Amino acid sequence: MAGSSSSSTSNTTPQKHEVFVSFRTEDTGKTFTSHLSGALERVDIKTYVDNNNLERGEEIPTTLVRAIEEAKLSIIVFSKNYAASKWCLDELLKILECGRAKRQIIVPVFYDIDPSDVRSQRGTYAEAFAKHERNFNEKKKVLEWKNGLVEAANYAGWDCKVNRYALFQ
């Protein structure tokens, strides 16, 4: 019995990470997201955070697709300029696909942005989509991104703008 247990263990690859974090590097990469991933690592939760300045193409590289698919949970850190990045929006669509197909847990975090601005694409999100619509020929893709933001913003998440100090006064 012990022999079969060790052989089955050697045939399975250990999970590289449990959590995938999607974020806009320029907004939160060196602040909130680095603190979040550090806190998760300290409690021994393996986290995938793409801090590389990879060449940003039109499609997500295979390594990121695999990282999203392998995660049990994805955290989407919505920030003021998240929607300006086609890269982030494509990650978002892949995360939502995994949420539907693989029952992956999705947790949105609203960092310095109102959840309703994400859901309704107001403010910087409206500006980003006006630019996408002008500069990007695939109108169907822009509509998918908009619908994806609505879907993701409807998940129960965490609003970082809540004044927690006021709760204790």
Side-chain angles (χ1 to χ4, degrees), residues 71-90:
K72 294 178 182 175
L73 180 141
S74 283
I75 298 173
I76 306 164
V77 182
F78 290 114
S79 56
K80 287 192 184 284
N81 297 305
Y82 185 92
S85 168
K86 292 185 278 184
W87 183 270
C88 288
L89 294 169
D90 282 342

Side-chain angles (χ1 to χ4, degrees), residues 26-39:
E26 294 83 359
D27 288 354
T28 67
K30 293 184 179 173
T31 55
F32 178 79
T33 301
S34 65
H35 294 292
L36 172 65
S37 64

Side-chain angles (χ1 to χ4, degrees), residues 7-161:
S7 67
S8 68
T9 304
S10 65
N11 290 337
T12 60
T13 56
Q15 186 171 6
K16 295 178 185 170
H17 60 277
E18 299 162 285
V19 176
F20 180 89
V21 182
S22 177
F23 63 101
R24 174 83 172 171
T25 303
E26 294 83 359
D27 288 354
T28 67
K30 293 184 179 173
T31 55
F32 178 79
T33 301
S34 65
H35 294 292
L36 172 65
S37 64
L40 292 169
E41 294 289 338
R42 280 191 292 282
V43 293
D44 205 27
I45 296 174
K46 297 174 187 156
T47 307
Y48 186 96
V49 177
D50 177 29
N51 281 332
N52 298 326
N53 292 323
L54 300 171
E55 188 65 33
R56 304 297 194 202
E58 292 301 320
E59 294 187 25
I60 304 172
T62 307
T63 54
L64 283 182
V65 169
R66 187 172 32 246
I68 293 168
E69 290 173 344
E70 290 175 353
K72 294 178 182 175
L73 180 141
S74 283
I75 298 173
I76 306 164
V77 182
F78 290 114
S79 56
K80 287 192 184 284
N81 297 305
Y82 185 92
S85 168
K86 292 185 278 184
W87 183 270
C88 288
L89 294 169
D90 282 342
E91 276 184 6
L92 171 71
L93 293 180
K94 184 62 182 176
I95 288 167
L96 292 170
E97 176 188 312
C98 289
R100 289 186 295 265
K102 299 181 174 210
R103 314 262 311 145
Q104 185 182 91
I105 299 166
I106 299 171
V107 178
V109 173
F110 302 94
Y111 181 82
D112 200 25
I113 187 83
D114 191 290
S116 64
D117 288 347
V118 175
R119 190 176 301 107
S120 302
Q121 285 111 53
R122 293 190 306 236
T124 57
Y125 280 57
E127 294 167 17
F129 276 102
K131 196 173 191 179
H132 291 318
E133 287 169 349
R134 277 193 313 272
N135 301 331
F136 196 57
N137 291 331
E138 291 188 50
K139 304 298 181 201
K140 181 182 175 200
K141 182 64 128 178
V142 173
L143 184 60
E144 287 175 9
W145 290 336
K146 285 182 171 187
N147 291 337
L149 285 171
V150 172
E151 182 179 343
N154 283 326
Y155 278 89
W158 188 47
D159 183 356
C160 293
K161 287 179 75 174

